[in-house]
Amino acid sequence: MQPQSGSPLRGSRCRKLAEQQPFMEEQLIDSTLEVIRAALQSGRIQDAIAALTKLHPTDRAEAFSELDDQAQSAILPRLDIPSTADLLEELEDEEAADVAENLSTERLADVLDEMEPDEAADVLGDLPPETAARALAEMDDADEVIPLLSHPDETAGGLMTTWLVTLRPEETAAEAIEKLRSAELEPEGPYYLYVIDDSERLVGVVGLRDLVIAKPQTPVRAFMDPDVKSATTGIDQEDVARLMSRYDLTALPVVDDAGKLLGTITVDDVVDVIEEEATEDIYRFANLHDADLAIDSPISISVRRRLPWLYLSTLTALFASWVISNFEAIFEQVAVLAVFQSVVAGLGGNAGTQSLAIAVRAIALGEITIKDIWRTIVKEAVTGIIQGISVGLIAGIGVYLWRGSPWLGFILGMALIGNMLIAVIVGTVTPLLLKALRQDPALASSALVTAVTDCAGFAIFLGLATLLLPLLTER
Amino acid sequence: MQPQSGSPLRGSRCRKLAEQQPFMEEQLIDSTLEVIRAALQSGRIQDAIAALTKLHPTDRAEAFSELDDQAQSAILPRLDIPSTADLLEELEDEEAADVAENLSTERLADVLDEMEPDEAADVLGDLPPETAARALAEMDDADEVIPLLSHPDETAGGLMTTWLVTLRPEETAAEAIEKLRSAELEPEGPYYLYVIDDSERLVGVVGLRDLVIAKPQTPVRAFMDPDVKSATTGIDQEDVARLMSRYDLTALPVVDDAGKLLGTITVDDVVDVIEEEATEDIYRFANLHDADLAIDSPISISVRRRLPWLYLSTLTALFASWVISNFEAIFEQVAVLAVFQSVVAGLGGNAGTQSLAIAVRAIALGEITIKDIWRTIVKEAVTGIIQGISVGLIAGIGVYLWRGSPWLGFILGMALIGNMLIAVIVGTVTPLLLKALRQDPALASSALVTAVTDCAGFAIFLGLATLLLPLLTER
């Protein structure tokens, strides 16, 4: 049996998170790895397994994945079914699939039976179709997993587990407790019990605490809460996370379109979603469109996933160069323009990225809706003009003092005002527009915003300079 | 009584989150606001209050804060104590303090007694010291709140609540249930009961489910789990969130240095922390160093909080201009260099920001430690060179074909390789260095990285061009 998820009971021996030692578990894993490697070298495989299983399942999976292939293949066949199930639940998706492929069909089926249905479905989804079909055929609890296979990973249906204890309104508290007791074989502890009617439609929820303090003969109907929030299977995981976080929910039941109860989503899955989405947003800001990419990814993957966006940036950069090339002759007359053109482009990019971050985050946290769009744009435009004047004045005066040319300072200042106005509007409008088109707002990566602010910055600055060329050359 | 936090029971009438309607609660709030405004205009204050209290507390607070001052002052004195407590718990910190200041001392004390101690402590911390002192003097449960006031908001001590049901190892399951029943007056439902010894030190935890299914005469010792993870008061909230997310905990007990149980942190607070930290990281990426800034902040605040970082960027941009100015004479001879200098700087900035995002996120999620630093730097350096060659080749050949000058293409390509190498190393090392110095890794905002890649990019490109000037001008 794996320990209860969502419970602080899962035990490793490390007790108190010592102050100033946030990376304590790393040390524990490292020292355990040393013990395991030493044991394996002297052929004491049981000692290695004992050291590994002493760790918390989370740490155990991390330690296991740091072992080399040879060590993994030595340990894997000797792990018991529950520990193997723990391992598959805690490993990253790809690694879990690798491990699963190395098990015999029979063993894999036993392990999948032991796993939470939603985790088992995830592993099955990552396996080659024939392997998955063979394992499903051997499984005892295939019926718990099969309905989950049809839901995309990133929806409410893909997040939910089907392990539920359901009650009927007419049952008594004593009967409910008896049900809970006999459901003990499934250790994934429900902290809420859902109440369904004759058509299996969700009609209420009972908290364990209410059950404990209810008199034994009270019917469930009397202490259930009929106002229960639920999600339909197709809802995006981001909206599930937003809903659960907004209303401080620790569990969310999932129903089909007719209101029939299908499963439940627990808060620990949602915490993972929130972290995943935050990584995704930050990555998109940095022109990385793959949240799977981690610092320990192999170089080949790392390069392959970063390069496409660098190529795109190369294209936009060359386009900005083309904008400049239209003014090329001016540099032969006023070389100093080449010195300052990047100031206008760069500061526009900064201001645009600020607006973009605020808008992307406001959308992610549900703080802004499409109806606010005009008010927001006007507000940002005013902000952009004020910022442009503030920065333009300082930079313009600074450059005038440095280079002694008042007109150069004037052109720089004016170009900054214009480009900042464009920057904040592009930074704000693009993600809102993407949201309205039902696209990911963070797709408006800063690359797009800086491409616009680069081109606009060069065009405004060099255009103004061309217009005022006689004034610039007369000094 | 406010409803149980962390429970899906909190009821609004909105039942099923309809597919494709993630903003349903916005519509509910808007229609309720219309009802409230109409009721207030015709003097039916009770109707306004009835409409408001029909909403879920979260939505209620949002609706309340959208009302104008006049409407708020009409409603506030007529709200009952529990609803006012709900309101203060759900409003943003500053708004909650505003509302609290508009209550009489007596009323405020009653409301604070009704609130979760950690929320009450937060409100008291935001009030003027005299107001807070007067309210504390009037409170019945001041002793629950006072110990919390000494902990900084962003630590485990600042996050914890002191509402706990504690058991002793020798008590029976039946006695434990009786304790839980009599604790009913405090509606903030504990889902875990903590077990303490004679010195009030934490020795175990009991899940409600284990309690429900235990035989009445079994002592707590027999079914408690002695392996319970805990945090000391001073631990940073980010480390608390990382720990609870890593081990899928829904509650984390907080102890003092001697192991004495002081309170508990629930997962809903941690979800807020994770979202706050994600906003902070994204904002820092965009050179916004204040996570409080939202899309609906007033323009004055918006400008005041963005400008300092734009001024900093102005300084770094002017420094980059100074780098260029050292090569100023070259533009009079080879104007085309002004066209392409920004390509090198810009692409370096992009590559550096990618590395920065990966490193910042790896640190935030605890995926990298200081000991990995050398391996990571070497890996990034290789990645940078491969990227530089890939992008440099394409851009170099492209520019050669466009402008017909092989040496211009060669210089551009070489400068790209050099600058990308610098970019990935700076992007990776800076956050790791900041972490080693116990600073926030995200402080290494992209502004710093782009400042370095700008200066390096201009210097390498124009430096190479100066060295190879005869080759560039001979065509």
Side-chain angles (χ1 to χ4, degrees):
Chain A
M1 297 286 117
Q2 66 271 54
Q4 295 179 300
S5 149
S7 132
L9 313 190
R10 291 185 164 203
S12 86
R13 292 288 142 188
C14 107
R15 292 285 300 270
K16 190 166 67 180
L17 182 68
E19 216 136 339
Q20 303 296 349
Q21 285 200 307
F23 291 117
M24 217 176 96
E25 65 266 20
E26 293 298 332
Q27 292 161 20
L28 191 70
I29 291 171
D30 285 349
S31 61
T32 306
L33 280 172
E34 278 173 39
V35 173
I36 293 174
R37 286 182 184 127
L40 286 177
Q41 265 178 353
S42 50
R44 292 172 288 116
I45 295 184
Q46 281 311 327
D47 289 356
I49 289 176
L52 187 65
T53 45
K54 233 193 274 173
L55 292 176
H56 183 287
T58 307
D59 299 331
R60 206 188 296 160
E62 197 169 311
F64 182 84
S65 69
E66 284 201 24
L67 290 170
D68 58 28
D69 287 352
Q70 204 190 342
Q72 289 189 353
S73 346
I75 288 175
L76 196 56
R78 319 242 178 143
L79 275 185
D80 56 16
I81 300 288
S83 300
T84 315
D86 275 355
L87 196 63
L88 289 190
E89 287 189 358
E90 297 282 348
L91 284 175
E92 298 290 317
D93 290 354
E94 285 172 35
E95 267 190 299
D98 279 352
V99 169
E101 283 197 78
N102 282 318
L103 299 172
S104 69
T105 304
E106 215 171 322
R107 221 175 130 74
L108 176 58
D110 288 345
V111 168
L112 291 169
D113 276 331
E114 181 79 22
M115 290 173 71
E116 270 192 86
D118 58 330
E119 304 275 359
D122 285 351
V123 170
L124 284 166
D126 289 333
L127 286 176
E130 325 80 69
T131 318
R134 260 183 285 129
L136 269 171
E138 283 281 325
M139 281 178 70
D140 294 330
D141 302 334
D143 54 316
E144 282 174 351
V145 174
I146 289 170
L148 297 177
L149 290 173
S150 61
H151 302 293
D153 267 12
E154 310 216 325
T155 62
L159 278 181
M160 71 179 178
T161 180
T162 47
W163 278 357
L164 286 173
V165 176
T166 52
L167 307 176
R168 301 299 294 271
E170 62 277 11
E171 287 172 338
T172 64
E175 287 167 336
I177 289 177
E178 203 38 58
K179 250 191 188 170
L180 195 62
R181 197 168 276 148
S182 62
E184 200 192 355
L185 278 176
E186 288 179 352
E188 206 49 44
Y191 290 95
Y192 297 104
L193 307 175
Y194 295 104
V195 188
I196 53 176
D197 67 10
D198 293 340
S199 338
E200 295 182 46
R201 273 184 319 212
L202 179 66
V203 293
V205 61
V206 168
L208 271 186
R209 190 164 170 280
D210 303 304
L211 183 61
V212 174
I213 63 182
K215 296 227 164 60
Q217 291 317 310
T218 322
V220 164
R221 181 184 293 111
F223 56 92
M224 77 179 195
D225 188 317
D227 263 333
V228 45
K229 284 189 191 296
S230 61
T232 47
T233 48
I235 288 183
D236 188 84
Q237 61 174 3
E238 219 170 331
D239 290 321
V240 170
R242 212 179 45 77
L243 188 81
M244 291 184 71
S245 141
R246 180 179 174 93
Y247 296 111
D248 291 343
L249 308 178
T250 55
L252 185 70
V254 181
V255 296
D256 67 13
D257 291 328
K260 190 181 143 189
L261 179 65
L262 298 178
T264 179
I265 299 172
T266 51
V267 71
D268 52 310
D269 292 325
V270 163
V271 167
D272 294 342
V273 169
I274 293 174
E275 291 192 331
E276 219 177 285
E277 302 285 348
T279 300
E280 213 173 278
D281 282 357
I282 291 177
Y283 274 20
R284 292 210 163 146
F285 241 88
N287 288 312
L288 281 167
H289 286 247
D290 194 331
D292 284 344
L293 191 60
I295 200 151
D296 52 0
S297 301
I299 290 178
S300 60
I301 290 180
S302 200
V303 169
R304 225 180 306 145
R305 298 204 172 152
R306 296 187 206 185
L307 260 186
W309 304 98
L310 289 176
Y311 282 140
L312 185 71
S313 299
T314 309
L315 270 185
T316 63
L318 289 178
F319 185 77
S321 295
W322 172 81
V323 171
I324 301 175
S325 72
N326 289 305
F327 302 95
E328 199 169 326
I330 206 173
F331 299 116
E332 283 162 23
Q333 299 172 57
V334 197
V336 73
L337 293 175
V339 173
F340 292 107
Q341 60 179 358
S342 300
V343 173
V344 180
L347 282 173
N350 274 323
T353 311
Q354 286 183 335
S355 297
L356 180 66
I358 292 173
V360 164
R361 213 48 205 154
I363 295 171
L365 298 177
E367 284 168 0
I368 189 179
T369 55
I370 306 305
K371 74 176 162 67
D372 300 327
I373 194 164
W374 281 112
R375 205 178 51 190
T376 305
I377 291 174
V378 171
K379 228 198 65 183
E380 281 292 314
V382 176
T383 307
I385 291 173
I386 298 175
Q387 285 177 345
I389 295 174
S390 312
V391 171
L393 257 180
I394 301 248
I397 292 174
V399 166
Y400 162 51
L401 294 177
W402 177 12
R403 308 297 307 220
S405 160
W407 286 109
L408 182 65
F410 174 75
I411 292 171
L412 184 74
M414 293 306 291
L416 275 169
I417 296 174
N419 202 26
M420 288 232 170
L421 179 59
I422 293 173
V424 294
I425 291 179
V426 172
T428 306
V429 171
T430 326
L432 284 168
L433 218 62
L434 283 167
K435 178 75 190 174
L437 297 171
R438 302 202 179 282
Q439 300 296 312
D440 183 340
L443 267 182
S445 55
S446 45
L448 186 84
V449 171
T450 49
V452 172
T453 50
D454 271 3
C455 294
F458 293 135
I460 299 174
F461 180 67
L462 298 174
L464 269 179
T466 307
L467 277 178
L468 302 179
L469 193 58
L471 297 166
L472 278 174
T473 45
E474 79 183 359
R475 62 160 173 154
Chain B
M1 296 288 117
Q2 64 273 53
Q4 295 180 299
S5 147
S7 133
L9 314 188
R10 292 183 161 206
S12 85
R13 291 289 143 189
C14 105
R15 289 287 299 270
K16 191 166 68 179
L17 181 70
E19 215 136 340
Q20 302 295 349
Q21 285 200 307
F23 291 117
M24 217 176 97
E25 66 265 20
E26 293 298 330
Q27 293 161 22
L28 190 71
I29 291 171
D30 285 349
S31 62
T32 306
L33 279 171
E34 278 173 38
V35 174
I36 293 174
R37 287 185 183 122
L40 286 177
Q41 265 179 354
S42 51
R44 293 173 287 117
I45 295 184
Q46 280 312 325
D47 289 356
I49 290 176
L52 187 65
T53 46
K54 233 193 273 171
L55 292 176
H56 182 287
T58 305
D59 299 331
R60 207 188 294 159
E62 195 168 311
F64 183 83
S65 69
E66 284 201 25
L67 291 170
D68 58 27
D69 287 352
Q70 205 187 343
Q72 289 189 353
S73 348
I75 287 174
L76 196 55
R78 319 242 178 143
L79 275 184
D80 56 15
I81 301 287
S83 300
T84 316
D86 275 355
L87 197 63
L88 290 191
E89 287 189 357
E90 297 282 349
L91 284 175
E92 298 289 317
D93 289 354
E94 285 172 35
E95 267 188 300
D98 279 352
V99 168
E101 282 197 78
N102 282 320
L103 300 172
S104 70
T105 304
E106 216 170 323
R107 222 175 130 72
L108 177 58
D110 289 344
V111 168
L112 290 169
D113 276 332
E114 182 80 22
M115 289 173 71
E116 268 193 86
D118 59 330
E119 304 275 358
D122 286 350
V123 170
L124 284 166
D126 289 332
L127 287 175
E130 323 81 70
T131 318
R134 261 183 284 130
L136 268 171
E138 284 281 325
M139 281 178 69
D140 294 329
D141 302 334
D143 54 316
E144 282 174 351
V145 175
I146 289 171
L148 297 177
L149 289 172
S150 61
H151 302 293
D153 267 12
E154 309 216 325
T155 62
L159 279 181
M160 71 179 179
T161 180
T162 49
W163 278 357
L164 285 173
V165 177
T166 51
L167 306 176
R168 301 297 295 271
E170 61 278 10
E171 287 173 337
T172 64
E175 286 166 337
I177 289 178
E178 202 39 56
K179 250 191 189 171
L180 195 62
R181 197 168 275 147
S182 63
E184 200 192 355
L185 280 176
E186 288 179 353
E188 206 51 44
Y191 290 94
Y192 297 104
L193 307 175
Y194 295 103
V195 188
I196 53 175
D197 67 9
D198 293 340
S199 337
E200 295 182 46
R201 274 185 315 212
L202 179 66
V203 294
V205 61
V206 168
L208 270 186
R209 188 163 171 280
D210 303 304
L211 184 60
V212 174
I213 63 181
K215 298 224 161 64
Q217 291 318 310
T218 322
V220 165
R221 181 184 294 113
F223 58 90
M224 77 179 193
D225 188 317
D227 262 332
V228 45
K229 284 189 192 295
S230 62
T232 47
T233 47
I235 288 182
D236 189 84
Q237 63 174 3
E238 220 170 328
D239 290 321
V240 170
R242 212 178 44 77
L243 189 80
M244 291 184 70
S245 142
R246 179 179 175 93
Y247 297 111
D248 290 344
L249 308 178
T250 55
L252 185 70
V254 181
V255 297
D256 67 11
D257 290 328
K260 192 180 144 189
L261 179 66
L262 298 177
T264 178
I265 299 171
T266 50
V267 70
D268 51 310
D269 292 325
V270 163
V271 167
D272 294 343
V273 169
I274 292 174
E275 289 190 332
E276 221 177 283
E277 301 284 348
T279 302
E280 214 175 276
D281 281 357
I282 291 176
Y283 275 20
R284 292 212 163 146
F285 242 87
N287 288 313
L288 282 166
H289 286 246
D290 194 331
D292 283 346
L293 190 61
I295 200 147
D296 52 359
S297 301
I299 290 178
S300 60
I301 289 180
S302 201
V303 169
R304 225 180 307 145
R305 299 206 172 152
R306 295 187 206 185
L307 260 186
W309 302 99
L310 289 176
Y311 282 141
L312 185 71
S313 299
T314 310
L315 271 184
T316 63
L318 288 178
F319 185 76
S321 296
W322 172 80
V323 172
I324 302 175
S325 72
N326 289 304
F327 302 94
E328 199 169 326
I330 207 172
F331 299 117
E332 283 161 26
Q333 298 173 58
V334 196
V336 73
L337 293 175
V339 173
F340 293 106
Q341 59 179 0
S342 300
V343 174
V344 180
L347 282 174
N350 274 324
T353 311
Q354 286 184 335
S355 298
L356 180 65
I358 292 173
V360 164
R361 213 49 205 153
I363 295 171
L365 298 177
E367 285 168 359
I368 189 181
T369 55
I370 305 305
K371 74 176 159 70
D372 301 326
I373 194 166
W374 282 112
R375 207 178 49 192
T376 305
I377 292 175
V378 171
K379 227 198 66 184
E380 281 293 313
V382 176
T383 307
I385 292 173
I386 298 175
Q387 285 176 345
I389 294 173
S390 312
V391 171
L393 257 179
I394 301 245
I397 292 173
V399 166
Y400 161 51
L401 295 176
W402 176 13
R403 308 297 309 222
S405 160
W407 286 109
L408 182 63
F410 173 75
I411 291 171
L412 184 74
M414 292 304 291
L416 276 170
I417 296 174
N419 202 26
M420 287 232 171
L421 178 60
I422 293 173
V424 294
I425 291 179
V426 172
T428 306
V429 171
T430 326
L432 284 169
L433 217 63
L434 284 167
K435 178 75 189 173
L437 297 171
R438 301 203 178 283
Q439 301 296 311
D440 184 342
L443 266 182
S445 54
S446 44
L448 186 84
V449 172
T450 49
V452 173
T453 50
D454 272 2
C455 294
F458 293 135
I460 299 175
F461 180 67
L462 298 174
L464 269 178
T466 307
L467 278 177
L468 303 178
L469 192 58
L471 297 167
L472 279 172
T473 45
E474 78 184 3
R475 61 160 174 154

